[in-house]
Amino acid sequence: MRRPLIGVTTSNRSGWRIFPLVALNIWLAGGRAVRWGAGRRSDIDGVDGIVIGGGDDISPTLYGGQLRAESRLDPDRDRMERRLVEESMAQAKPVLGICRGSQMLNVALGGDLDQDAYATFTDSRKYRTILPRKTVNVVEGTRLAGLAGTEVMKVNALHSQAVRRLGSGLRVAARDEGGMIQAVERLRDPFAIGVQWHPEHLFYARRQRAIFRGLVAAARAGAEDRAQLPEVDAETERV
């Protein structure tokens, strides 16, 4: 059986370092990966699904916010990733958003972001580490809960922004101990999920690998013109 091909967006600055980790997780899940970056060819027609990776802040001009002086932006990447999410929805191709990618998924579907999330959620502990130190509570009944379970999850954290108003068709799938949104997911095909942490760094954890298995299962189903969400739900039985 052909391995589904997943397009992975990365920063032009750090993508050389991050892409191999994401590609490893996709391979372990049964897929294969191709790297995309701003200025490179990124054709949604040639892949079965996409990962929107982590990196710089998203420009608030995309969702009507105000530009902050300390923001580090990549407008070319913003445009590319927004287009890719929109095209994925139009062509029924599944999406996994990682950190910045989770935020981009939300923004591309009409939502917005809290640019200073830790000032809003004062009970949320702020970490900047790839080690699993942040506590996340998965919402029962969500697809993320089916894939990764509902036990309290320890994840890494590198972000300062977070999803605020949800994009169209999305629901909250996880929050941290202070109530800040840590994961969102789409309610119908195509499968789409965004996590605020970096599961690619936690490839040794079964629950984190399950997120990539959900993406690859959806990509395989979509490539075969089958409904994606039932295939993702079936994947939960193998976890």
Side-chain angles (χ1 to χ4, degrees):
M1 182 180 295
R2 180 180 70 87
R3 285 177 173 260
L5 181 61
I6 309 297
V8 179
T9 69
T10 67
S11 164
N12 284 338
R13 283 187 292 272
S14 60
W16 63 271
R17 175 170 49 86
I18 300 301
F19 175 73
L21 277 176
V22 178
L24 171 63
N25 280 274
I26 291 170
W27 183 266
L28 293 174
R32 55 195 178 99
V34 58
R35 180 186 169 193
W36 288 340
R40 301 184 181 198
R41 180 176 175 81
S42 54
D43 184 2
I44 199 70
D45 293 327
V47 298
D48 303 304
I50 63 172
V51 171
I52 305 295
D56 298 328
D57 292 336
I58 294 169
S59 174
T61 59
L62 270 65
Y63 53 86
Q66 294 186 347
L67 187 64
R68 297 166 61 93
E70 67 272 21
S71 296
R72 185 174 180 179
L73 307 177
D74 187 342
D76 291 338
R77 186 180 177 191
D78 286 348
R79 287 189 288 271
M80 176 190 72
E81 291 180 339
R82 186 173 191 174
R83 170 182 61 81
L84 288 171
V85 172
E86 291 171 348
E87 290 177 352
S88 292
M89 296 299 102
Q91 297 187 31
K93 303 218 173 156
V95 179
L96 167 60
I98 295 175
C99 196
R100 166 199 163 92
S102 178
Q103 298 167 12
M104 179 56 77
L105 172 65
N106 188 66
V107 168
L109 294 179
D112 65 14
L113 306 177
D114 189 328
Q115 292 180 258
D116 193 1
Y118 286 97
T120 302
F121 295 91
T122 56
D123 290 333
S124 295
R125 298 190 63 182
K126 186 173 183 177
Y127 296 99
R128 288 198 66 83
T129 176
I130 61 171
L131 300 176
R133 296 185 60 196
K134 190 174 184 66
T135 300
V136 166
N137 298 302
V138 180
V139 177
E140 291 188 11
T142 59
R143 203 143 269 114
L144 177 61
L147 287 167
T150 56
E151 299 87 354
V152 172
M153 184 183 288
K154 287 290 189 178
V155 301
N156 48 34
L158 296 171
H159 65 95
S160 59
Q161 301 185 341
V163 168
R164 184 171 60 178
R165 178 173 51 84
L166 288 172
S168 177
L170 296 179
R171 66 180 173 187
V172 176
R175 296 181 184 270
D176 70 8
E177 70 279 10
M180 188 191 304
I181 294 173
Q182 295 294 310
V184 296
E185 63 183 30
R186 187 171 156 87
L187 291 165
R188 58 185 182 275
D189 275 3
F191 171 78
I193 189 167
V195 296
Q196 191 63 74
W197 60 92
H198 286 263
E200 73 273 23
H201 287 286
L202 306 173
F203 57 88
Y204 51 84
R206 173 185 56 83
R207 300 173 72 189
Q208 304 304 321
R209 294 196 305 272
I211 296 169
F212 289 94
R213 286 202 298 272
L215 172 70
V216 171
R220 182 177 294 111
E224 297 172 356
D225 293 322
R226 295 184 287 111
Q228 295 174 28
L229 297 189
E231 191 66 21
V232 175
D233 291 340
E235 184 65 28
T236 67
E237 300 174 4
R238 306 183 187 109
V239 176

